[in-house]
Amino acid sequence: MEDHYARLNTVLTRGIPVANVAVIHPIESYWLHWGPKENTAMYRNMMDTQFKETNEWLLSGLIDFDYISESLLPEQVGDITDKLKVGKMEYSTVVVSGCETLRSTTLGVLKKFKEAGGNIIFVGEAPKYVDAIPSKEPQELYNTCKVVMHSKPQLLAALEKDRFLDIREQTGEQTSCLLYQCRKDNDGQWLFIAHMCDEAAEDWMSDRLSKNFVLPYERQIIINGEYTPLLYDTLTGEVKKISYEIRNGKTIIEYTFFAHD
């Protein structure tokens, strides 16, 4: 097991993560409602729920993303084209969800990004404040961008063009129990897929199987792009060839997952 985790550590700390989507972290909007629980707890709980749901919908929907910190953005932002460069990362889409206020510096970056052809998605209503002061500027930007409801299907549909990875069940539906990270490392990429929930426990609740009994899940991994995949066995260190096919510019792998992998 120690060798397994050492190998994972090597893979997951090499290179640079590949993520096309950035989400503005809404912590400063949360601060607007900080106060006595009898006056603010209900609203803060609602904001916390929206924040958690957005996070889980993206991860379970296999859209990897990074948060953007408004306080750090001015010193991290780089060239602004149809891709937003922040530090060493580069994003094609920025999501604004659960933000009631934006910093003037953030709003300025978003405006330049939109003017350069970047993609901005607002979830729910437009922010009403700039630097915590009432302003119509966010609404003006909001009116020029794509807007979706706080809904998993709508959010994932709006981000479909940014998708790098899809994993489908035998029924054709998208899996909802896995997450991934991809890292670019020299001329190759590492793809790491892991469970984000206990499938055996979920099946136990539906009386399909005992929690101590593991059934295989046949799934199709669909990678956007043409690649030659190899399977790195983290328990043995063996590197194995794996069956795959290239179809319509995508790499397709049929793979068997187990609930406790």
Side-chain angles (χ1 to χ4, degrees):
M1 288 302 295
E2 294 305 322
D3 287 341
H4 159 77
Y5 286 116
R7 290 177 179 122
L8 278 185
N9 176 71
T10 300
V11 168
L12 295 176
T13 55
R14 289 179 64 91
I16 298 174
V18 177
N20 297 321
V21 177
V23 178
I24 303 294
H25 198 294
I27 185 62
E28 297 188 8
S29 296
Y30 187 83
W31 291 344
L32 290 180
H33 300 278
W34 191 257
K37 285 189 175 181
E38 61 266 29
N39 298 329
T40 62
M42 183 180 297
Y43 200 83
R44 283 190 278 119
N45 289 340
M46 181 189 72
M47 295 181 73
D48 194 51
T49 297
Q50 180 173 343
F51 175 75
K52 180 181 178 183
E53 287 177 342
T54 300
N55 178 302
E56 291 182 351
W57 291 346
L58 292 174
L59 293 178
S60 67
L62 297 171
I63 299 290
D64 197 12
F65 70 97
D66 291 331
Y67 283 115
I68 286 180
S69 165
E70 291 195 76
S71 63
L72 296 176
L73 182 59
E75 65 188 66
Q76 292 180 334
V77 69
D79 296 336
I80 300 177
T81 61
D82 60 345
K83 298 286 182 71
L84 180 62
K85 293 183 179 179
V86 182
K88 294 183 178 181
M89 299 299 291
E90 191 175 85
Y91 307 103
S92 56
T93 296
V94 176
V95 175
V96 183
S97 176
C99 291
E100 289 189 16
T101 185
L102 291 172
R103 290 196 182 203
S104 54
T105 49
T106 303
L107 188 60
V109 168
L110 292 178
K111 284 182 176 180
K112 290 180 181 178
F113 181 51
K114 179 62 179 176
E115 291 168 359
N119 185 36
I120 301 174
I121 300 172
F122 282 89
V123 179
E125 298 180 357
K128 300 175 182 177
Y129 308 93
V130 174
D131 297 327
I133 298 172
S135 173
K136 294 182 180 179
E137 284 190 78
Q139 182 72 53
E140 293 170 359
L141 176 63
Y142 179 91
N143 293 340
T144 67
C145 298
K146 186 172 185 61
V147 178
V148 299
M149 295 174 58
H150 181 63
S151 153
K152 182 177 181 179
Q154 285 199 21
L155 181 57
L156 293 183
L159 291 168
E160 194 59 36
K161 76 176 187 65
D162 296 294
R163 179 176 298 284
F164 171 74
L165 179 76
D166 199 5
I167 302 178
R168 296 280 168 170
E169 305 287 356
Q170 284 186 306
T171 58
E173 65 182 320
Q174 188 181 70
T175 182
S176 60
C177 217
L178 300 171
L179 51 70
Y180 85 97
Q181 185 178 85
C182 180
R183 300 184 70 89
K184 184 173 178 58
D185 183 14
N186 295 316
D187 60 348
Q189 296 190 50
W190 297 102
L191 176 60
F192 174 68
I193 301 171
H195 281 88
M196 63 179 293
C197 63
D198 188 344
E199 291 189 286
E202 288 190 351
D203 286 339
W204 168 249
M205 296 299 291
S206 62
D207 294 327
R208 279 182 55 197
L209 58 106
S210 163
K211 190 168 181 178
N212 293 322
F213 184 72
V214 181
L215 290 179
Y217 294 81
E218 304 294 339
R219 292 179 171 131
Q220 187 178 73
I221 302 170
I222 306 167
I223 305 167
N224 189 19
E226 298 183 2
Y227 298 93
T228 302
L230 294 170
L231 179 64
Y232 280 66
D233 190 321
T234 56
L235 290 176
T236 66
E238 185 181 358
V239 181
K240 308 172 184 176
K241 291 184 178 180
I242 187 171
S243 297
Y244 70 99
E245 66 174 298
I246 305 295
R247 190 189 310 161
N248 300 323
K250 298 181 185 296
T251 304
I252 299 173
I253 304 168
E254 305 289 342
Y255 192 75
T256 302
F257 291 83
F258 290 87
H260 291 164
D261 277 354

